[in-house]
């Protein structure tokens, strides 16, 4: 009996999910859609953008992934030297910000401006700080007028330097995750609302058409911890005690109160921003500790749908939705960020959420990122889709493949998206195997990859018809053995640090996906029948 049970277990590990044959007419009418995944991407702090490696990687992801905007912290942090105080008077200095913005715009990337943090002259005395680089997070309401003046002067300078037509395409977001009282804003909800008021009035005083928004709040929650003026850490045990956290009602932090406040004060809200990470870190007052919870694969879509409903019922039904941070987890030391599974997760969530948001910004494009200081390893679980040395990870390939899709949807199911480019009529499809046996939780917060290698394979069967005989398709496969650089690094013996020659080889191997060319026969039909391993992705691109 035990042998039979063991045999059944082993068979379960190699079970293939068999899909019905998908037949798509390449000439049928398509449905237009936007590449909202390419709208923007995140980075660490502004000063890191003055480094050669950061700029080189930004150029790469702009060219290969199509990102239009980059959002980062600390535009007003002390290391950007935006303000000087002498004899009780303030003067402004934009040299460092100019250097950053000039180089970004030269690379065809615009700033998604996050107005934060407090420069020391405008922060509260003995302000609390965040990160090793000591970002000031404690407000001084007596200096909110000076904050208004800083934002106004900064906005005016941007218009003077880059022209109003350019700056009208930008976004101005007020602060970062102010609901995290123990994180990014050592103040109350009301103080943040007043800060938003002063910021939006300052930006709009330069030109009433400029786009402003907030509240840039953190991940969704299933309890009332953010209902009051500051985070309540007493008695919010809903997530801890639920039998299934995915059946709870999750809601955005501060969103509803923010919209009501802005309506009352008659303030503009051009966009709502928040960070729908599929994880939660509630505080348990019983133990005095927090704990991380991973929600199921569709949680991001659930959250965005909730957000759409709230905005439609508000005084700002036409407000854009910009999800200015998102990843498998908000932990910059989560080993999963370096592994293969996030690629399929990125593809699935973005394709499932088409039409629900104006952007879903991956946090971040680079491991040149120092919220917790420098990484202790070349692969340390950093957020980036490219590591410090410039070696691309599977997450980079996910965005590169998404960028290759056309702008007309021909077909979609839970593992295949077929599109066409309206400009030239070429068909591009993207298949991915996010194993159904892993739907209950996103791939996050793990130290080993083994359990994620046991997912089910998937049999992909598809036909593209009405093609010209001789049409060729290029197929690129991302899987455990191709483009999965961490796996290759392990096979190398995990050199730490790699030599210059080893880095060159790693860069080549990271880009080395399995590539094939398939030519369509006389019947004008492209036929594909193959098994996809867990977490793999397949880009199918018409090349002639």
């Amino acid at each position: 009996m035990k042998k039979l049970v063991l045999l059944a277990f082993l068979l379960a590990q190699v079970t293939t999910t068999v899909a019905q044959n998908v037949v798509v007419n390449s000439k049928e009418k398509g449905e237009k859609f936007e590449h909202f995944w390419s709208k923007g991407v995140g980075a660490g702090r502004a000063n890191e953008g003055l480094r050669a490696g950061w700029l080189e990687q930004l150029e790469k992801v702009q060219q290969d992934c199509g990102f239009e905007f980059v959002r980062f912290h600390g535009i007003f942090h002390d290391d950007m030297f935006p303000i000087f105080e002498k004899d009780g008077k303030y003067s402004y200095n934009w040299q460092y910000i100019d250097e950053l913005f000039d180089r970004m715009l030269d690379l065809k990337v615009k700033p998604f401006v996050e107005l934060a943090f407090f420069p020391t002259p405008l922060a509260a005395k003995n302000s609390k700080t965040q990160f090793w680089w000591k970002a000031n997070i404690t407000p001084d309401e007596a200096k909110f007028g000076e904050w208004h003046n800083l934002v106004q002067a900064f906005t005016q300078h941007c218009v003077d330097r880059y022209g109003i037509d350019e700056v009208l395409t930008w976004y101005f977001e007020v602060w970062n995750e102010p609901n995290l009282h123990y994180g990014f804003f050592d103040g109350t909800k009301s103080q943040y609302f007043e800060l938003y008021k002063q910021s939006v009035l300052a930006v709009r005083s330069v030109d009433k058409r400029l786009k402003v928004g907030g509240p840039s709040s953190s991940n969704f929650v299933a309890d009332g911890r953010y209902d009051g003026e500051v985070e309540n850490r007493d008695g919010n045990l809903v997530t801890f005690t639920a039998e299934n956290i995915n059946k709870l009602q999750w809601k955005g932090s501060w969103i509803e109160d923010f919209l009501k406040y802005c309506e009352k004060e008659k303030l503009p809200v051009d966009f709502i921003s928040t960070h729908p990470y599929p994880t939660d870190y509630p505080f348990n007052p019983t133990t005095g500790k927090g704990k991380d919870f991973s929600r199921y694969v569709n949680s991001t879509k659930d959250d965005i749908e909730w957000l759409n409903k709230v905005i439609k019922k508000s005084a700002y039904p036409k407000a854009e939705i910009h999800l200015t941070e998102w990843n498998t987890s908000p932990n910059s030391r989560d080993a999963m960020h370096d592994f293969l599974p996030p690629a399929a997760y990125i593809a699935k969530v973005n394709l499932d959420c088409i039409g629900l948001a104006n952007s879903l910004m991956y946090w971040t494009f680079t491991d040149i990122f120092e919220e917790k200081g420098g990484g202790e390893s070349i692969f340390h679980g950093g957020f980036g889709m490219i590591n410090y040395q410039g070696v691309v990870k599977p997450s980079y390939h996910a965005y590169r493949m998404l960028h290759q899709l056309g702008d007309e949807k021909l077909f979609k199911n839970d593992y295949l998206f077929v599109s066409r480019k309206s400009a030239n009529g070429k068909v591009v499809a993207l298949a991915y195997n996010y194993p159904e046996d892993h739907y209950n939780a996103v791939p996050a917060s793990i130290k080993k990859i083994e359990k994620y290698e046991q997912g089910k394979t998937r049999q992909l069967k598809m036909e593209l018809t009405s093609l010209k005989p001789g049409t060729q398709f290029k197929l690129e496969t991302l899987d455990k053995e191709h483009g999965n650089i961490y796996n290759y690094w392990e096979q190398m013996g995990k050199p730490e640090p790699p030599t210059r020659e080893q880095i060159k080889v790693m860069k080549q191997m990271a880009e080395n996906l399995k590539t094939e060319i398939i030519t369509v026969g006389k019947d004008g039909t492209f036929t594909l029948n193959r098994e996809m391993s867990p977490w793999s992705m397949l880009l199918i691109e018409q090349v002639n």
Side-chain angles (χ1 to χ4, degrees), residues 466-473 517-526 542-544:
S466 302
L467 295 163
K468 182 181 178 180
T471 299
Q472 292 188 320
F473 286 85
I517 294 289
I518 294 180
T519 303
V520 174
K522 294 181 180 180
D523 63 352
T525 299
F526 169 86
Q542 184 178 339
V543 294
N544 67 348

Side-chain angles (χ1 to χ4, degrees), residues 12-13 17 433-441 454-457:
Q13 308 313 306
T17 300
N433 181 10
Y434 191 109
E436 294 179 8
D437 44 330
H438 286 285
Y439 275 15
N440 64 322
Q454 298 173 356
K456 294 181 180 180
T457 59

Side-chain angles (χ1 to χ4, degrees), residues 269-542:
V269 179
D270 296 298
F271 64 92
I272 291 292
S273 62
T274 190
H275 304 158
Y277 288 104
T279 48
D280 187 28
Y281 295 81
F283 183 81
N284 189 338
T286 303
T287 63
K289 297 180 180 179
K291 183 179 179 181
D292 61 307
F293 288 87
S294 180
R295 297 167 63 192
Y296 81 136
V297 67
N298 292 324
S299 63
T300 298
K301 184 180 180 182
D302 290 348
D303 292 347
I304 303 176
E305 288 177 337
W306 177 93
L307 188 57
N308 272 274
K309 291 177 183 178
V310 169
I311 292 174
K312 286 180 180 178
K313 293 179 181 179
S314 76
Y316 306 91
K318 295 183 179 181
E320 294 183 17
I321 295 176
H322 290 284
L323 307 162
T324 50
E325 286 187 27
W326 175 77
N327 201 311
T328 56
S329 77
N331 178 3
S332 62
R333 294 296 184 271
D334 182 349
M336 182 54 74
H337 294 148
D338 298 324
F339 295 152
L340 179 63
Y345 176 71
I346 289 166
K348 175 171 172 51
V349 172
N350 278 281
L351 293 173
D352 285 350
C353 293
I354 286 175
L356 296 179
N358 299 95
S359 71
L360 179 60
M361 301 187 189
Y362 191 75
W363 188 257
T364 59
F365 79 86
T366 177
D367 274 353
I368 301 175
F369 178 97
E370 299 172 344
E371 287 187 356
K372 292 186 177 180
E376 64 278 12
S377 165
I378 68 165
F379 292 110
H380 55 273
F383 288 122
M385 58 181 75
I386 306 178
N387 86 338
Y388 189 91
Q389 287 74 20
V391 181
V392 301
K393 305 179 190 178
S395 53
Y396 155 85
H397 287 297
Y399 279 98
R400 183 182 64 81
M401 290 179 173
L402 285 167
H403 182 53
Q404 295 306 310
L405 291 172
D407 57 346
E408 296 176 349
K409 182 182 74 173
L410 300 180
F411 174 84
K412 180 189 180 303
N413 62 18
D414 201 37
Y415 58 90
L416 176 65
F417 189 93
V418 183
S419 71
R420 183 175 56 223
K421 296 183 177 181
S422 61
N424 56 25
K426 291 182 178 180
V427 176
V428 183
L430 181 58
Y432 50 94
N433 181 10
Y434 191 109
E436 294 179 8
D437 44 330
H438 286 285
Y439 275 15
N440 64 322
V442 299
S445 301
I446 67 163
K447 297 185 180 299
K448 294 185 178 181
I449 191 64
E450 284 80 0
K451 75 173 186 177
Y452 285 91
E453 294 176 339
Q454 298 173 356
K456 294 181 180 180
T457 59
R458 179 180 292 280
Q459 196 69 29
L460 173 65
K461 300 173 67 176
M462 65 173 292
E463 294 180 19
L464 296 175
T465 65
S466 302
L467 295 163
K468 182 181 178 180
T471 299
Q472 292 188 320
F473 286 85
K474 181 174 74 171
L475 278 62
E476 293 183 78
T477 300
L478 170 69
D479 58 19
K480 182 179 178 182
E481 303 300 331
H482 303 90
N484 182 22
I485 190 58
Y486 189 94
N487 186 61
Y488 182 76
W489 182 57
E490 281 190 318
Q491 294 173 4
M492 293 174 67
K494 292 187 175 181
E496 195 76 83
T499 65
R500 295 179 70 188
E501 288 303 314
Q502 287 173 326
I503 290 174
K504 290 180 182 179
V505 172
M506 289 177 66
K507 286 183 176 181
Q508 293 175 350
M509 294 303 296
E511 305 260 10
N512 187 24
L513 274 58
K514 180 182 178 182
T515 306
E516 313 161 65
I517 294 289
I518 294 180
T519 303
V520 174
K522 294 181 180 180
D523 63 352
T525 299
F526 169 86
T527 302
L528 190 65
N529 185 358
R530 66 176 54 192
E531 187 177 84
M532 294 187 66
S533 58
W535 311 107
S536 63
M537 295 181 63
L538 176 64
L539 180 67
I540 305 163
E541 186 174 11
Q542 184 178 339

Side-chain angles (χ1 to χ4, degrees), residues 144-350:
F144 274 9
E146 293 298 340
W147 170 265
H148 175 283
N149 294 341
L150 171 68
V151 173
Q152 182 182 52
F154 163 72
T155 307
Q156 185 64 61
H157 173 76
C158 290
V159 170
D160 293 343
R161 186 174 184 84
Y162 303 110
I164 187 59
D165 290 341
E166 169 63 32
V167 182
L168 282 174
T169 67
W170 297 7
Y171 294 85
F172 293 83
E173 181 185 33
V174 181
W175 214 257
N176 175 70
E177 299 185 349
N179 61 299
L180 297 184
H181 180 74
Y182 299 92
F184 297 104
F185 190 69
D186 181 40
T188 65
K189 183 187 296 184
S190 295
Q191 286 177 318
Y192 170 74
F193 288 170
E194 178 62 26
L195 186 74
Y196 179 83
K197 179 178 181 179
Q198 294 302 322
S199 301
V200 70
L201 292 176
V203 171
R204 285 297 189 91
S205 70
V206 175
D207 194 297
K208 293 182 179 180
R209 297 171 293 170
L210 291 170
K211 294 191 283 269
V212 291
S216 187
S217 50
S218 67
N219 61 290
F220 282 50
V221 297
D223 55 37
R225 77 188 79 156
Y226 298 123
D227 291 350
E229 282 292 305
V230 297
E231 179 181 351
N232 177 12
R233 291 194 166 191
D234 297 322
N236 284 313
L237 298 174
V238 175
T239 311
F240 289 97
T241 57
E243 291 185 12
N244 183 347
I245 63 171
N246 295 312
K247 292 184 178 181
L248 298 175
Q249 175 59 63
W250 296 79
K251 62 180 181 179
S253 304
W254 283 16
I255 303 293
E256 293 164 297
D257 289 346
F258 172 75
L259 288 166
K260 291 176 183 177
Y261 170 82
C262 292
E263 179 184 9
K264 178 183 176 182
E265 295 293 321
K266 295 181 172 56
L267 299 174
V269 179
D270 296 298
F271 64 92
I272 291 292
S273 62
T274 190
H275 304 158
Y277 288 104
T279 48
D280 187 28
Y281 295 81
F283 183 81
N284 189 338
T286 303
T287 63
K289 297 180 180 179
K291 183 179 179 181
D292 61 307
F293 288 87
S294 180
R295 297 167 63 192
Y296 81 136
V297 67
N298 292 324
S299 63
T300 298
K301 184 180 180 182
D302 290 348
D303 292 347
I304 303 176
E305 288 177 337
W306 177 93
L307 188 57
N308 272 274
K309 291 177 183 178
V310 169
I311 292 174
K312 286 180 180 178
K313 293 179 181 179
S314 76
Y316 306 91
K318 295 183 179 181
E320 294 183 17
I321 295 176
H322 290 284
L323 307 162
T324 50
E325 286 187 27
W326 175 77
N327 201 311
T328 56
S329 77
N331 178 3
S332 62
R333 294 296 184 271
D334 182 349
M336 182 54 74
H337 294 148
D338 298 324
F339 295 152
L340 179 63
Y345 176 71
I346 289 166
K348 175 171 172 51
V349 172
N350 278 281

